[in-house]
Amino acid sequence: MKIILSPAKKMIEDPDILSYTQLPEYLEQAEEILRWLQCRTYEELKKLWKCNDSIAQQNFKRLENMELRKRLTPAVLSYEGIAYQYMAPSVFEERQLAYIQKHLRILSGFYGVLKPMDGVRPYRLEMQAKAGMCGHKNLYGLWGDRLYKSVRDKDGVIINLASKEYSKCIEKYLTLQDTYITCVFGEWVNGRIVQKGTYAKMARGEMVRFMAEREISKPEEIKKFNRLNYNFQKELSSDREYLFIREIME
């Protein structure tokens, strides 16, 4: 069983926090992407990144001397987005770290697929960025089916905790032999179920923590998730979609 999760835009570099265990699987491809980015002008990159000057300047400076084999931070500790804050991997025990290293895969426009303890450098490159390189119109074309092949293990079970931007990299290549389950975290708003971005990110990170603490190996066990006021909704779920509804406290 594998769990897929989106990366976060905000990243830190702290090679002293914990040693990484290995280099990313597609490091050579990432180095090729890096060279392409380094050949772009500041204005081209700012447009690609769709960000303000402060963020663009920070990331442009990062690219100047970026070396993907030095000063590396474990990926799961480098990302600082909401999902990672609620996962809180920095306080995991060894067995929990071992669990996510085996089961969790972080999808990335820059690195492709990352194991939690792969060594990375901070970067900015969303999967949906309009980056035409290496004969491809975008990053989806560049990565092709490699991310699916990397994530898919022998039992074919994939738990999707990623956003649509990233999950589509996997969904396009699914076969009838795969068991692909998307966890949806929503709430009732005016008679319909709405998935709110911030709360969904919180729940995705909390779900990874929940699975790691219980060392979950079967999808059925996910249904017991009851954190952040979310509860599994059997009557609204299916074999391919597990729906969790957040009870809004008055």
Side-chain angles (χ1 to χ4, degrees), residues 5 16 47 52-53 64 70 75 86 104 110 121 124 129 132 134 140-141 183 189 227 236 241:
L5 186 67
D16 300 320
K47 182 178 180 180
N52 59 36
D53 279 313
E64 288 179 350
K70 297 178 180 179
Y86 277 77
L104 180 64
F110 186 75
R121 293 290 298 271
R124 187 179 180 91
C134 307
Y140 293 109
C183 292
V189 177
R227 300 181 180 181
L236 298 174
E241 184 175 278

Side-chain angles (χ1 to χ4, degrees), residues 167-185:
S167 62
K168 66 188 294 185
C169 300
I170 306 300
E171 292 169 355
K172 182 178 180 180
Y173 303 99
L174 292 171
T175 70
L176 295 176
Q177 286 70 49
D178 295 317
T179 299
Y180 184 79
I181 301 169
T182 297
C183 292
V184 177
F185 302 96

Side-chain angles (χ1 to χ4, degrees), residues 222-239:
I222 298 172
K223 297 176 181 179
K224 298 176 183 178
F225 179 78
N226 60 355
R227 300 181 180 181
L228 302 178
N229 296 322
Y230 282 99
N231 285 286
F232 177 68
Q233 305 295 306
K234 181 179 180 180
E235 66 281 3
L236 298 174
S237 298
S238 67
D239 292 340

Side-chain angles (χ1 to χ4, degrees), residues 62-73:
R62 281 174 172 170
L63 286 174
E64 288 179 350
N65 301 299
M66 188 180 287
E67 167 55 68
L68 302 185
R69 298 172 188 265
K70 297 178 180 179
R71 290 192 57 77
L72 306 181
T73 304

